[in-house]
Amino acid sequence: MQELNSFDYGPLAGLIGIWSGNKGKDLSPEADGSTEHNEYYETIVFTAAGETSNAEEEVLSAVHYTQKVQRISNDKVIHQQTGYWLWEQGTDNVIHSLTIPRGLCVLAGGKVITKNSTVFNVDASFDNENWPITQSAFLKHKAMTKTFNQKMTLSGDKLQYSQHMMLEIYGNSFDHNDHSSLRRQP
C-alpha cells in the first residue's frame, strides 16, 4: 500500500490542515420576511483521504473535511457539515460533496483555476441531473434549496469562501449566503 503522502492531491494539497476564522457573515431568512444577520467563527479540518478510481478510467484525489460554525454573539452552533473535495487528476475538474444534518446533500461540480492563488468554483441545483441537490421531503415542501454556488480561494495560509444557496422558504425566494476568511493553524 502506498504511503498517504505519495498520493497526488494536486490543487487540493493546500487545503490539508486545520483552518479557523472569526470574520464570517451569514444572511438567513426569518419567518416574518426579515433577514437575520449573523457574525460567526468557525473551524474547518481538512484531512487527506487518498485516491480512488471510477470504472478504471477516472482517478480522483479526495480530501475529507468537517466544518463547525458558531455564532459570535452567543457561541451557539448554527451550522455543521461534512464532506469531500475531489479533484479529477490531470484535469481542472473538481467536485464538492457535502452533507448538512438537516436532511440536505449536495453534489456540486466545477473547475479549479491555479495562478497566483487557487480558486475552486462549484455549482449544483435541484433540477440538475449531473450536479444535484437532494433533500428530505420536509425541506422540499417547507425550505427547498433550489441552487448551490460556492467559490473558495486559497492563497498560502489564507482561505476565503462565499457560498450562496437559493431557498424557497416562508413563501419567498431567499439568497441564503455565507462569506468567511480563515487562516491555517500551525
Side-chain angles (χ1 to χ4, degrees), residues 13-169:
L15 294 174
I16 298 168
I18 300 171
W19 298 80
S20 63
N22 61 0
K23 299 187 185 314
K25 306 267 190 227
D26 169 74
L27 297 177
S28 302
E30 291 289 327
D32 65 4
S34 65
T35 300
E36 180 179 1
H37 298 265
N38 291 299
E39 293 183 347
Y40 63 86
Y41 64 95
E42 68 186 307
T43 301
I44 304 175
V45 179
F46 292 94
T47 56
E51 295 176 347
T52 190
S53 64
N54 288 324
E56 298 180 20
E57 293 178 28
E58 179 185 52
V59 179
L60 297 171
S61 299
V63 173
H64 176 257
Y65 75 94
T66 57
Q67 178 183 27
K68 184 176 180 180
V69 178
Q70 292 176 263
R71 189 177 286 134
I72 287 175
S73 64
N74 62 10
D75 291 328
K76 180 182 177 184
V77 175
I78 58 173
H79 183 82
Q80 291 188 82
Q81 72 184 49
T82 188
Y84 290 91
W85 277 94
L86 306 165
W87 169 61
E88 183 183 45
Q89 290 185 11
T91 74
D92 60 356
N93 297 326
V94 289
I95 300 168
H96 184 192
S97 65
L98 64 102
T99 302
I100 300 169
R102 294 176 181 263
L104 181 70
C105 300
V106 176
L107 183 64
K111 302 290 182 186
V112 60
I113 299 167
T114 305
K115 289 191 181 176
N116 297 332
S117 58
T118 303
V119 179
F120 303 86
N121 278 301
V122 293
D123 298 292
S125 66
F126 179 74
D127 57 358
N128 187 320
E129 65 182 47
N130 293 321
W131 306 114
I133 297 169
T134 303
Q135 49 209 310
S136 70
F138 179 87
L139 289 178
K140 283 182 188 176
H141 296 290
K142 295 286 187 174
M144 177 185 246
T145 301
K146 301 286 281 183
T147 63
F148 172 89
N149 309 98
Q150 185 178 37
K151 178 181 180 181
M152 190 166 65
T153 303
L154 173 64
S155 299
D157 288 336
K158 185 177 181 182
L159 180 66
Q160 295 179 295
Y161 69 82
S162 64
Q163 179 174 293
H164 295 266
M165 298 173 83
M166 186 56 69
L167 306 178
E168 291 295 327
I169 187 168

